[in-house]
Every structure is written in C-alpha cells, then in structure tokens.
Amino acid sequence: MSGVSQEQRFYSISSYLKEKMGSKVVKLAIDGGFTCPNRDGSKGTGGCVFCSASGSGDMASDIPSQIRLLSDKWPNAKYLAYFQSHTNTYGPVTQLRRQYEEALTYPGVVGLAIATRPDCLPKDVLDLLSELNEKTFLWVELGLQTIHENTAQLMNRCYPLSVYDQAVSHLARRGIRTVTHLIFGLPGESQEQMLDSVKYVCQDLRASKPAAESACEISRRIFGIKLHMLNLVRGSQMEHLYPDYVSFASIEEYVDLVVSALEIIPPEITIHRLSADAPRPTLISPEWSYKKRTILNSIHKALRERDTFQGAKL
C-alpha cells in the first residue's frame, strides 16, 4: 500500500506534504480577482450551474491575514498559496506571473496550487507554469467534475472531455503535478457513472514527449484527486433550476460511495478532499454537508469496519 497509512487507510495530501516538506503545510485560499470564460461570455454566461457567485472561493481572502490567523495555531507551519476562486490561469501571462511570484515572496510560502479549467491552458501559460515548476513546488487543479458529456452539458461546463485529456497530457509532458476535481451527486448520474469518472481519471495513460526532447513515454497519471458531494448553494443557477434538489439523502449514503471510490483509486494518488466546504449561510442542501469533521470521521470508521483501504479493489 505505497503511500497509504495503516491508520488513515488512504494517502492524504497532508501526509504527503508533511513527508515532503518536513512540517505541517497549510493552504492559503486566495481570490486573485480572476473571472472565467464561462462567465464573461467568451464561452458561456453564468458559469457552471453548481458554481457559487464567488467561483467556488467562498473561503478565500488575502495571504497576510491568513498567515496571521494561522500562525498562532501552527507556529511552525509552511504554506501553499492556493489560487482558488474562479479560473486562475485565465488572464494575460504578465498578470499571472506577477500574482504567482508575489505570492511566493511571503515568509513561509513554499509553493503554489493553482485551480483552473482545462480549456484555459494555452502554450504561453504552460510555459510559465513549467518555469515556476522548476523553481518551486507546484500543482495545477483541473475542474472536470464528470466524464459524462450529457451531464457536462446539463451543468453548462462548456468544454468536452477531450479538452481535459489534452490538458493532462500537456501538464504531464512538462512534469507538472495535476489534481482533478470530481463532484458526486450531479443530477441524473448513477453511482456507477460516478465511479466510472473516478476510474477514468485514475488511468495511467502514457503520453509521448515531443521527439526533440525524448522518444520515451511518460506517465500521464494524475498526482491527486478531489472528491465531494454536490452542494446546492445560494447564488448558483442550480438554486433556481433545481430548487428542491438533494444530492445525497444521508451522510451514510455519501460515505458508502466515497469508500467505494477510494477502493479503486491507485494508492500513490494523493487524496485532497473527501467532503465539501460551503458556508452555512449559503448552503441549501444537503443540510448536513457543513459537518465536515463528522463526514470525515464516518469515512474513517467505515474504512476500518470494512477492513478496506485506498486501492483495495484494483
């Protein structure tokens, strides 16, 4: 069980970072002021229908205030600057460079995590990410959510699965770590379809490097994965399109699916999220999804009781 702790039974990103950095590492959620091609009209308007008005960055704020707040709790912690809100590679490269490099100047910041869309990685942005990847610790998060085209169209994602495949290949060729987001409980999807999305993104496809670099093939397996249930939140299009929608009826139902997903994720893939964060004032359903600690404890308990672990069914 490479990477999988006997105690946790899955390979958490916190464990990976502590091993790599030698201390606790905390993500600082940043709103970089970006928008999204699915909001400004270049591809669509209103964003993906599940997305909040903040572009899934409800917890984001500035770096200095977060460091001041967290330093009392973890005085020896290191930090990753996490560009979270909206699409954080959607802008001129000069702007991206300025913001990324500024984030790295703060004391204790040892790397970057950049959330984006697979269709917002043009060559000049990839070149910048490659440059940063050689100088600091970096991963790029891709919001895929589902592999099923019918669901993606229903959710107004505005790009096909092939674009995600291309993005992962481009990042892999440059040695850049990729983290994939999946949402469980999207309208119309069965449990089997949700698990099919997990299986797909965890494949170790091979990507050929350009001939000028090397004739060998490189792994195209993702570095990490984020799983969480669909939250119906105020300010999203779903609030009006599906006002009574509940993705999971109970914590137990959701936990059962997460355990099944963990069993088919290769043990070397880091687990970045198993639940969801939505501020209680904006959360509509599931009404219990704000109980993050309860959900995680229930997942740990289910793994122990079933005597199973990440990758057990590969």
Side-chain angles (χ1 to χ4, degrees):
M1 296 194 298
S2 172
V4 179
S5 161
Q6 284 283 358
E7 180 179 337
Q8 280 202 323
R9 294 177 177 264
F10 60 85
Y11 193 19
S12 69
I13 185 58
S14 59
S15 297
Y16 171 90
L17 289 171
K18 189 168 186 179
E19 291 169 6
K20 185 171 184 64
M21 303 295 184
S23 66
K24 173 76 174 178
V25 179
V26 183
K27 286 196 300 183
L28 308 174
I30 302 166
D31 183 346
F34 297 97
T35 182
C36 172
N38 200 6
R39 288 179 181 266
D40 67 6
S42 63
K43 292 206 170 177
T45 58
C48 298
V49 301
F50 50 76
C51 199
S52 68
S54 67
S56 299
D58 300 282
M59 309 295 188
S61 66
D62 64 284
I63 293 177
S65 63
Q66 291 185 72
I67 291 178
R68 284 195 299 272
L69 183 67
L70 295 167
S71 58
D72 289 339
K73 185 175 182 180
W74 294 298
N76 299 313
K78 298 174 183 176
Y79 304 103
L80 291 181
Y82 176 34
F83 287 84
Q84 179 183 31
S85 303
H86 298 292
T87 304
N88 293 278
T89 60
Y90 188 52
V93 169
T94 52
Q95 177 191 359
L96 301 179
R97 178 185 295 277
R98 182 175 66 254
Q99 292 193 234
Y100 299 159
E101 292 185 346
E102 180 185 351
L104 290 169
T105 65
Y106 288 94
V109 174
V110 294
L112 301 169
I114 300 171
T116 191
R117 288 168 56 96
D119 57 350
C120 292
L121 291 169
K123 184 180 182 302
D124 58 349
V125 171
L126 286 167
D127 288 343
L128 173 60
L129 293 173
S130 293
E131 180 186 330
L132 291 166
N133 192 50
E134 293 176 1
K135 297 191 294 187
T136 190
F137 182 82
L138 170 71
W139 73 62
V140 173
E141 301 190 1
L142 301 178
L144 175 63
Q145 321 311 353
T146 179
I147 65 167
H148 303 289
E149 301 290 5
N150 287 343
T151 310
Q153 291 175 14
L154 189 67
M155 293 296 101
N156 193 40
R157 192 178 67 187
C158 292
Y159 70 82
L161 180 60
S162 59
V163 170
Y164 165 81
D165 291 336
Q166 292 166 5
V168 175
S169 291
H170 288 316
L171 292 165
R173 289 191 186 106
R174 295 164 181 266
I176 299 171
R177 300 171 188 85
T178 302
V179 177
T180 298
H181 290 220
L182 293 177
I183 294 179
F184 287 162
L186 291 167
E189 287 204 351
S190 66
Q191 177 171 317
E192 182 180 6
Q193 286 179 301
M194 298 176 217
L195 294 177
D196 283 343
S197 288
V198 175
K199 292 174 186 175
Y200 185 92
V201 302
C202 290
Q203 295 178 88
D204 187 11
L205 303 179
R206 312 303 289 185
S208 298
K209 282 190 174 183
E213 297 179 27
S214 170
C216 69
E217 290 189 335
I218 57 174
S219 172
R220 212 209 67 172
R221 176 164 284 170
I222 59 173
F223 164 69
I225 191 168
K226 280 189 171 183
L227 306 174
H228 62 83
M229 83 289 290
L230 174 70
N231 281 330
L232 180 59
V233 295
R234 291 180 175 84
S236 67
Q237 292 185 67
M238 279 198 73
E239 179 185 7
H240 308 290
L241 295 172
Y242 305 90
D244 301 317
Y245 186 73
V246 179
S247 54
F248 292 91
S250 67
I251 291 178
E252 291 74 21
E253 181 185 358
Y254 178 69
V255 166
D256 183 68
L257 178 59
V258 169
V259 170
S260 296
L262 284 170
E263 289 178 325
I264 59 173
I265 296 174
E268 66 271 22
I269 291 178
T270 52
I271 307 299
H272 292 236
R273 178 183 287 174
L274 292 175
S275 65
D277 295 306
R280 291 185 70 178
T282 64
L283 177 66
I284 300 173
S285 72
E287 58 85 19
W288 43 263
S289 77
Y290 73 90
K291 300 178 181 178
K292 186 174 181 180
R293 180 52 52 191
T294 299
I295 297 167
L296 289 175
N297 286 342
S298 298
I299 293 169
H300 287 299
K301 181 181 179 184
L303 289 166
R304 290 193 304 271
E305 289 179 346
R306 301 180 199 183
D307 192 23
T308 192
F309 50 88
Q310 180 179 338
K313 291 191 176 179
L314 290 176

